[in-house]
Amino acid sequence: MAYILATGGLGFIGSHTCLELLALGHEIIIVDSLINSSKETLNKINEVLEFRGISAINRILFKKGDIRDLVFLKSVFQEALVNNKKIEAVVHFAGLKSVSDSILAPINYWDVNLSGTINLLNLMDKYNCRKIIFSSSATIYKPINSKLIKENSDLNPINTYGNTKLAIEKLLYDIYKNGSTKWAIVNLRYFNPVGADRSGLIGENYNINSNNLFPILIKVANRKLDSLPVFGNDWPTKDGTCVRDYIHITDLAIAHAKALNNVLQKNKEFLNLNIGTGRGFSVLEVIKKFKEVNDCDIPFHFLPRRNGDAPFVVADNSLANTFLKWEAKKSLKEMCLDAWRWGRHKTKSSI
Ligand code: NAD
Ligand code: UFG
């Protein structure tokens, strides 16, 4: 079992991944500034593990801090070394992820996402830890209507958030290809992560400005919003609404565990892997399934197309199948059930 640093490990994808890594027996240091998460998640992770009959109390350490703070981040690597526990690999989730905020605050997005990553990579190099899994995104691809997206499809992000993700991928490629040291790097390009752990104890922190489909669905189901706006019904798709590749967060977490095994076994590697299910569902299909399985009402209305949307974004995930021996197992039904099990308790918070 390995000693792993998870930056942003209390966020949506980080918390589910840490849960699965701890369940497999790994030991983790979580670094998180808590800008979009809460320390309570740490207790919840332990609670879910206890429920599964696993004790992780001595295998999880939390350090509150910002990855842009070089002194803080260095102390994390140094402390591990002093305790004879060299960090073997990093799972790097920490970053900002809102497309709309990134357009409003580009400097902040470049600073957190890129400067934070450069700090991290500098320290990894200094402390001889050269294995990293990076949270990339399908948002870096140029939209192609109707065909599955492959890792070698054209890249062309259209917003600041996507630009930062692509820039980090390029930086990681330079590090892998040039320089005198060997790195093992896996960029996981997530499609649309949704749902929650089936315990309902951990999930996504839907902030007040979340404008993704599932947070809005939860808001409507919780009657915090009268009706769900569907952006466009004239797209060239099966029913005129946009098609996406929704992936259950637990499947995504398991993909990280497999990617981690992969880098732990390699000295030099660079992989870009699509992480999706390979299946696409339209907005109307998602609404129908959510209503059906959760027995709730989801009124909706059509609005014009949303700026920046593409009709069809679905992964060809055959490379991940081949390299990681991984495939998504959970259905849209489970995504809707688990999202609501988590989201229905959010009536009193922002959502
Ligand atoms: P999240 O906001 O839930 O988690 C990110 C975590 O990083 C949070 O806990 C936050 O507090 C922490 N963080 C942010 N800035 C930090 C900093 N400077 N220093 C330390 N901690 C910091 O987001 P998520 O959905 O879990 O996404 C994780 C990663 O995956 C992000 O890099 C995101 O860009 C990427 N990603 C997410 C999606 C998605 O749809 N959720 C899709 C593709 C890629
Ligand atoms: N949608 C609606 N109404 C809403 C919200 C969304 O009709 O109120 C539609 C969108 O038009 C889109 C689909 O639902 O067709 C999914 O939209 P999301 O905003 O949930 O997700 P996106 O596919 O636009 O983008 C998401 C993340 C990005 C990430 C990308 C790929 O927001 O950060 O997936 O991973 F990069």
Side-chain angles (χ1 to χ4, degrees):
M1 288 304 116
Y3 195 47
I4 307 299
L5 169 63
T7 70
L10 291 185
F12 175 42
I13 304 171
S15 59
H16 289 81
T17 301
C18 287
L19 176 68
E20 298 308 326
L21 294 181
L22 289 162
L24 288 167
H26 294 294
E27 198 172 337
I28 301 181
I29 313 175
I30 293 178
V31 161
D32 200 303
S33 64
L34 303 182
I35 188 94
N36 196 33
S37 52
S38 133
K39 204 175 161 201
E40 180 58 15
T41 303
L42 204 55
N43 301 332
K44 298 290 179 192
I45 292 174
N46 279 317
E47 221 177 293
V48 181
L49 286 168
E50 268 170 39
F51 190 70
R52 293 192 197 173
I54 299 165
S55 169
I57 302 288
N58 298 322
R59 290 188 289 115
I60 184 165
L61 181 67
F62 173 64
K63 300 275 180 189
K64 180 173 185 277
D66 194 306
I67 55 167
R68 288 170 298 174
D69 180 345
L70 195 57
V71 174
F72 157 73
L73 202 53
K74 185 173 178 189
S75 72
V76 173
F77 280 88
Q78 186 62 27
E79 193 180 307
L81 200 65
V82 166
N83 292 328
N84 270 332
K85 282 186 163 180
K86 182 179 169 294
I87 297 169
E88 290 163 74
V90 175
V91 198
H92 178 33
F93 304 100
L96 300 178
K97 64 167 177 178
S98 157
V99 170
S100 48
D101 289 352
S102 78
I103 295 163
L104 294 173
I107 298 177
N108 192 36
Y109 266 67
W110 279 101
D111 186 33
V112 172
N113 291 0
L114 200 69
S115 310
T117 303
I118 291 174
N119 265 353
L120 175 68
L121 293 168
N122 258 323
L123 289 168
M124 288 176 67
D125 197 31
K126 194 169 161 48
Y127 283 85
N128 294 318
C129 165
R130 300 193 186 90
K131 295 170 189 290
I132 184 167
I133 316 289
F134 171 60
S135 294
S136 190
S137 169
T139 201
I140 65 173
Y141 289 112
K142 180 178 180 179
I144 37 171
N145 305 350
S146 83
K147 278 205 334 220
L148 296 185
I149 295 176
K150 288 176 182 289
E151 286 78 356
N152 61 4
S153 296
D154 289 347
L155 303 176
N156 186 23
I158 57 164
N159 52 59
T160 301
Y161 168 66
N163 286 335
T164 66
K165 288 287 163 188
L166 184 54
I168 295 168
E169 282 205 6
K170 287 183 176 172
L171 162 64
L172 289 170
Y173 185 67
D174 268 352
I175 289 174
Y176 158 79
K177 193 160 172 281
N178 305 322
S180 55
T181 50
K182 288 183 181 155
W183 287 73
I185 297 168
V186 179
N187 294 316
L188 296 181
R189 295 174 176 169
Y190 315 148
F191 279 64
N192 288 58
V194 297
D197 181 73
R198 65 188 303 272
S199 63
L201 290 175
I202 58 172
E204 184 169 6
N205 178 22
Y206 301 129
N207 66 49
I208 206 130
N209 297 324
S210 299
N211 53 8
N212 297 120
L213 182 60
F214 271 71
I216 303 290
L217 266 172
I218 302 289
K219 223 179 221 183
V220 176
N222 271 330
R223 298 174 194 228
K224 296 278 166 185
L225 193 69
D226 293 337
S227 169
L228 186 147
V230 176
F231 298 126
N233 59 355
D234 57 352
W235 292 98
T237 58
K238 44 190 159 186
D239 59 19
T241 65
C242 289
V243 172
R244 292 289 180 277
D245 186 337
Y246 298 95
I247 173 165
H248 194 289
I249 186 69
T250 301
D251 278 330
L252 181 59
I254 292 167
H256 286 82
K258 303 263 185 182
L260 182 64
N261 278 346
N262 185 286
V263 295
L264 287 170
Q265 286 165 21
K266 300 278 167 61
N267 281 328
K268 187 168 165 115
E269 177 169 60
F270 186 86
L271 282 176
N272 296 319
L273 297 176
N274 284 344
I275 302 293
T277 63
R279 292 185 303 273
F281 291 99
S282 73
V283 178
L284 291 182
E285 285 173 327
V286 174
I287 295 175
K288 183 164 178 273
K289 185 61 79 183
F290 193 94
K291 274 166 76 164
E292 210 174 271
V293 302
N294 293 315
D295 193 20
C296 62
D297 195 21
I298 305 286
F300 63 89
H301 60 284
F302 290 110
L303 282 186
R305 293 177 177 191
R306 184 172 71 173
N307 218 353
D309 268 345
F312 184 90
V313 184
V314 180
D316 176 329
N317 58 9
S318 48
L319 268 190
N321 295 170
T322 307
F323 280 98
L324 305 184
K325 307 273 175 288
W326 166 90
E327 63 181 347
K329 297 221 164 72
K330 290 187 178 262
S331 63
L332 182 63
K333 177 180 173 181
E334 288 165 290
M335 299 179 212
C336 292
L337 278 171
D338 295 341
W340 182 228
R341 190 178 298 111
W342 162 253
R344 70 193 311 163
H345 303 302
K346 304 281 150 216
T347 45
K348 292 201 179 63
S349 64
S350 55
I351 195 110

